[in-house]
Structures are given as C-alpha cells and as structure tokens.
C-alpha cells in the first residue's frame, strides 16, 4: 500500500531530477571546455613568451663584470712626524662616496644581517627565488607587509650595476636572466662582496665601507653586531632608515634584523 501511495510522488520528482541531471551535464561540458580553452591559450602564450625571451632577452642577459666602472673615493694621507705612521687627512669624492672593501675584511655578522633581512635563502638559490617572488606577487594582490620585496640579493646587485629601474615585466624578466647568468660566473662570496660595495646607504654613502666611516667613524672590520644590523637596515629605504635623519625608524628596523638573525 505504501508503494502505491509513493508512486505519484516519484512520478512528480523524476522530471525534476532529470532536469537537474541535464543542467549538471551541460555545466560539466561547459567547465571542461573552458578548462581546455584556458590550457590551450596558456600553452600558446607560454610558447610565444619563450620565443620572445630566447630571441630578444637572452642576448641582453650577459653582464661583463670586467667592464663595470664604479666611482671610488680618494683618500689622502699624511705622515705623522712623531710616530712616522700614515694618518688619514681627508676624503675626496663626487656624488658617490665609495671605498671598496674586500670580502675577507667584512665581518660575518654584517653579512649575516644583510642576508637575514634581504634574502634568507641567498646561500642556497641560484640567483632567483621562486618562493620569494610568488610571495611578493601575492602581496601585491593581498598586502600583508609594507616592504615585502621579491628580488634576491643577486637581482638587487644586477639592478645596482645596470641602473635599470624601469617598472615593467620585461625589465624584471631580464633582471632574473641576468641574475642567473651572474650566479654562474661568480661565487656567492664575490656576489655578496660586490653587493655590499654598491648599495646606497644614505648620506652619500655607497657601500658599507664609507657608511661605517660616516656613521661610526671606524673601518668595516671593526663594526659590532649592533652597528652591522644598523647598516643592514638602511638599504631598504635609505632616507627613511637614515640613522642621522630618522633614528627611531632605523632602531626599529635594526631590532627587526637582530630578531630575524636569531630566528635563522
């Protein structure tokens, strides 16, 4: 008897279920078609982009390290008549105050401070960090940090050398190719040495040597951990983190760097 009573209800539901099944089938076909179109379009775009990179960008990816010219500061000395030792008298420079310092004279805690805040996977990547770049891309869409950058130390060195700061996808891809190329030519020690001698550190200072002299009146090799963290924090935004002009900003970033060093 219950089956007989339920039959009219089932007869009413069947057309509805059939309609839902038909709609679902159409939706599935549309979805599959859309995915195939996207995949096909993506393959075409990727192929065209690959050909563009090979034909147009790769020939420009080489950086001739031997032809890089940097303005260096002239240091004038005089001989002390009492001690017979040479004493620094003054420094002469134009727009860039830069005194080159070799890797062996840079304290490890200064190198560690820069790597910790600028590129924590510097010692393991090959010039380009996928994780960092994807993080920066996500940050553009959903900001979670005011100063999150996608460039590795090697990429920043490329920018410092070439002075190419155009904000375009083409420039960014070329920067990555140049960074990969640079990593094949130079050791990590050579890259970090060049980087620390080219970064802008406010007050006309380019490189950590002139900055150590201007801010602390000492040579780089004599910098303390606290002083190294102070210098490492400037390059992100030289004016904003200038220890003379914005002491509190620099102090806040210095402590951030020390915390990051402890974490790593």
């Amino acid at each position: 008897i219950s089956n007989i009573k339920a039959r009219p209800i089932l007869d009413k539901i069947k057309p509805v279920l059939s309609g839902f099944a038909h709609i679902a089938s159409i939706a599935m076909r549309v979805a599959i078609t859309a995915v195939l179109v996207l995949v096909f379009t993506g393959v075409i775009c990727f192929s065209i982009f690959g050909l563009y990179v090979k034909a147009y960008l790769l020939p420009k990816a080489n950086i001739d390290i031997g032809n890089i010219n940097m303005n260096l500061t002239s240091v004038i000395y005089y001989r002390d008549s009492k001690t017979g030792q040479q004493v620094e008298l003054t420094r002469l420079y134009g727009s860039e105050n830069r005194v080159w310092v070799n890797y062996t004279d840079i304290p490890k805690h200064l190198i560690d401070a820069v790597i910790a805040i600028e590129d924590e996977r510097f010692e393991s990547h090959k010039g380009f960090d996928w994780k960092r770049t994807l993080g920066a891309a996500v940050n553009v869409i959903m900001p979670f940090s005011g100063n999150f950058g996608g460039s590795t130390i090697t990429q920043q060195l490329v920018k410092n050398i070439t002075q190419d700061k155009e904000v375009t996808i083409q420039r960014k891809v070329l920067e990555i190719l140049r960074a990969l190329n640079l990593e094949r030519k130079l050791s990590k020690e050579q890259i970090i040495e060049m980087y620390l001698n080219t970064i802008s550190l406010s007050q006309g200072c380019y490189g950590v040597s002139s900055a150590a002299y201007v801010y602390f009146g000492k040579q780089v090799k004599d910098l303390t951990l606290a002083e190294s963290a102070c210098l490492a924090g400037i390059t992100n935004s030289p004016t904003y983190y200038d220890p003379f002009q914005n002491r509190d900003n620099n102090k806040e970033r210095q402590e951030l760097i020390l915390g990051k060093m402890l974490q790593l």
Side-chain angles (χ1 to χ4, degrees):
I1 295 173
S2 59
N3 289 338
I4 294 173
K5 291 182 178 179
R7 199 168 295 163
I9 299 175
L10 292 175
D11 290 339
K12 293 180 180 179
I13 293 177
K14 281 181 180 180
V16 177
L17 295 176
S18 178
F20 278 131
H22 182 65
I23 293 172
S25 176
I26 294 174
M28 182 64 70
R29 288 197 294 269
V30 170
I32 293 174
T33 301
V35 170
L36 290 175
V37 169
L38 288 174
V39 170
F40 184 69
T41 304
V43 170
I44 293 176
C45 292
F46 185 78
S47 300
I48 294 173
F49 181 72
L51 291 173
Y52 170 76
V53 169
K54 182 178 180 180
Y56 185 73
L57 296 184
L58 279 180
K60 299 181 179 181
N62 184 50
I63 295 180
D64 188 356
I65 302 299
N67 288 330
I68 296 175
N69 294 318
M70 296 184 185
N71 296 322
L72 296 176
T73 298
S74 297
V75 183
I76 299 178
Y77 296 89
Y78 71 92
R79 188 177 298 278
D80 190 313
S81 58
K82 295 181 179 180
T83 63
Q85 296 180 344
Q86 287 192 342
V87 181
E88 182 176 320
L89 175 63
T90 188
R91 297 187 175 197
L92 304 176
Y93 56 89
S95 60
E96 297 181 5
N97 180 9
R98 178 186 289 110
V99 178
W100 194 273
V101 59
N102 294 325
Y103 179 84
T104 52
D105 293 324
I106 302 173
K108 187 176 185 301
H109 49 245
L110 174 55
I111 295 173
D112 289 342
V114 170
I115 290 176
I117 197 63
E118 293 294 327
D119 183 8
E120 63 182 72
R121 284 176 290 278
F122 169 73
E123 295 173 334
S124 60
H125 66 62
K126 301 299 181 183
F128 175 62
D129 190 344
W130 281 101
K131 184 176 181 180
R132 187 176 180 84
T133 301
L134 289 174
V138 171
N139 189 42
V140 171
I141 302 172
M142 297 180 294
F144 55 87
S145 172
N147 54 8
F148 190 95
S151 297
T152 63
I153 283 177
T154 312
Q155 288 174 251
Q156 292 178 50
L157 174 59
V158 167
K159 187 185 297 183
N160 292 342
I161 291 173
T162 62
Q163 290 298 305
D164 188 356
K165 300 178 181 180
E166 185 181 5
V167 184
T168 62
I169 295 177
Q170 174 183 300
R171 198 276 304 169
K172 195 66 179 179
V173 173
L174 184 57
E175 178 187 282
I176 292 171
L177 294 174
R178 285 171 169 170
L180 294 172
N181 195 12
L182 203 61
E183 289 265 356
R184 288 194 290 267
K185 293 182 177 181
L186 303 178
S187 65
K188 291 291 185 179
E189 289 77 13
Q190 290 173 309
I191 290 172
I192 198 70
E193 177 184 315
M194 290 190 69
Y195 176 76
L196 290 176
N197 279 288
T198 59
I199 54 178
S200 173
L201 295 168
S202 197
Q203 299 296 323
C205 298
Y206 285 81
V208 294
S209 182
S210 59
Y213 181 81
V214 168
Y215 292 119
F216 303 111
K218 58 174 64 176
Q219 297 183 43
V220 175
K221 63 184 179 64
D222 298 323
L223 290 174
T224 65
L225 172 60
E227 292 165 345
S228 293
C230 167
L231 292 189
I234 300 174
T235 188
N236 179 264
S237 182
T239 301
Y240 186 77
Y241 292 115
D242 184 317
F244 290 165
Q245 297 182 29
N246 295 295
R247 180 185 179 91
D248 292 341
N249 296 343
N250 180 272
K251 181 61 178 175
E252 182 180 355
R253 188 157 179 84
Q254 178 214 40
E255 293 179 357
L256 171 67
I257 292 171
L258 292 171
K260 189 68 176 176
M261 293 174 73
L262 178 61
Q263 175 189 336
L264 296 173

